Amino acid sequence: MGYSVGQVAGFAGVTVRTLHHYDAIGLLSPGGRSTAGHRRYDDADLDRLQQILFYRELGFPLEEVAVLLDDPHADPQEHLRRQHALLTTRIGELQRMAAAVEHAMEAKKMGINLTPEEKFEVFGDKDPERFAEESARRWGGTHSHAQAQARAAEYTKEDWQRMKAEVDAWGAAYAALMSEGRDPGSEEAMDLAEAHRRHLTAWFFECHPRTHVELAGMYVADENFHAFYEAIHPGLPEHLREAVRANAERRAA
């Protein structure tokens, strides 16, 4: 018989309005309808909603979430590996959230076969749409962030698809380069570092070589960036940092 929109909103800790919005934009359309025409969500819908909320917790825009979930050519293993790496960076926060849930539920343990309520316990009382706003308040204020946000607000689903294709192609090329044992100072590595800088400039903000060097340091020091690039190829954050430095020196010469 499925679950009503009100029940699902209660399970997931989101508003009915959020679920209606997801339906309206085609991100999550319920699998069935009641005889009266009301939305009815099945287990597959709940699984998709769980994936959506995980990506929203990680700060992905809705347009990009749709691209990730609906890409017919995506490798399921690669998709899961990347998501796992991104989620791993949130372990500390999830542990704090889990501790709060355990306290609220009097240390009730989750079983392997989760109920609809248990599927969404890790989110506590946080609606991912509110989390996105909190993230903007936390990281906003810089010119680069403002420029990136302004550009992203104009992107369509097709834009996100093109961007994802570029990132995937670049990641595959860099992973192949590392598998071949190329040094960060090689022409091939510096060329890919330059392609990375130009991608940032084209899609997000004006990324000068000196700025790129600073960002590359974050790819190693910041756990979120590190996990993203590490998921492409082990050791890639450190390799890319050195390639970016070498490319900046090459351009300054």
Side-chain angles (χ1 to χ4, degrees):
M1 294 181 62
Y3 307 97
S4 69
V5 65
Q7 287 177 307
V8 174
F11 298 154
V14 300
T15 64
V16 170
R17 182 178 179 180
T18 292
L19 293 176
H20 285 173
H21 178 60
Y22 288 171
D23 187 8
I25 64 176
L27 181 60
L28 177 67
S29 297
R33 296 274 178 173
S34 69
T35 55
H38 300 303
R39 296 173 175 85
R40 303 299 294 182
Y41 294 80
D42 58 23
D43 289 337
D45 296 327
L46 295 185
D47 289 340
R48 182 177 174 90
L49 177 57
Q50 187 183 48
Q51 292 292 317
I52 293 169
L53 298 187
F54 272 126
Y55 275 121
R56 290 300 284 155
E57 282 284 334
L58 290 165
F60 282 70
L62 291 177
E63 295 87 349
E64 191 168 357
V65 174
V67 170
L68 289 168
L69 296 182
D70 296 334
D71 183 358
H73 304 296
D75 179 354
Q77 291 298 323
E78 182 66 22
H79 178 77
L80 291 172
R81 187 165 72 94
R82 173 176 291 182
Q83 185 181 49
H84 180 268
L86 291 169
L87 290 172
T88 298
T89 67
R90 295 286 302 278
I91 285 178
E93 181 176 353
L94 291 177
Q95 286 177 333
R96 292 191 294 272
M97 292 169 66
V101 170
E102 289 170 358
H103 176 73
M105 298 184 67
E106 299 179 348
K108 177 180 179 181
K109 295 181 180 179
M110 295 192 303
I112 296 176
N113 296 319
L114 302 180
T115 66
E117 293 89 350
E118 290 170 331
K119 283 186 176 181
F120 302 99
E121 286 171 357
V122 295
F123 298 107
D125 60 354
K126 293 172 64 177
D127 185 331
E129 303 308 316
R130 295 198 301 270
F131 176 81
E133 296 173 358
E134 293 169 7
S135 178
R137 286 195 295 270
R138 178 178 179 184
W139 300 109
T142 65
H143 174 71
S144 295
H145 179 270
Q147 188 177 20
Q149 289 294 101
R151 290 187 183 182
E154 300 293 328
Y155 292 154
T156 64
K157 181 175 181 178
E158 289 71 25
D159 291 327
W160 287 111
Q161 288 174 328
R162 288 197 300 272
M163 187 192 307
K164 180 178 181 295
E166 288 183 15
V167 172
D168 289 346
W170 179 90
Y174 209 105
L177 177 144
M178 291 187 65
S179 296
E180 294 170 0
R182 301 295 180 89
D183 293 330
S186 66
E187 289 294 323
E188 295 83 358
M190 288 190 289
D191 288 346
L192 283 176
E194 176 64 12
H196 184 277
R197 186 186 71 83
R198 292 181 179 179
H199 175 86
L200 293 174
T201 295
W203 287 101
F204 297 107
F205 59 89
E206 188 66 33
C207 184
H208 298 287
R210 184 165 51 188
T211 303
H212 200 207
V213 170
E214 296 175 358
L215 283 174
M218 290 179 57
Y219 299 159
V220 175
D222 182 271
E223 60 182 4
N224 293 302
F225 279 117
H226 190 277
F228 175 82
Y229 288 105
E230 186 75 12
I232 297 175
H233 192 284
L236 194 152
E238 293 77 12
H239 196 286
L240 177 60
R241 177 187 60 188
E242 299 307 314
V244 168
R245 289 175 176 174
N247 181 58
E249 292 176 1
R250 178 179 65 170
R251 290 179 57 82

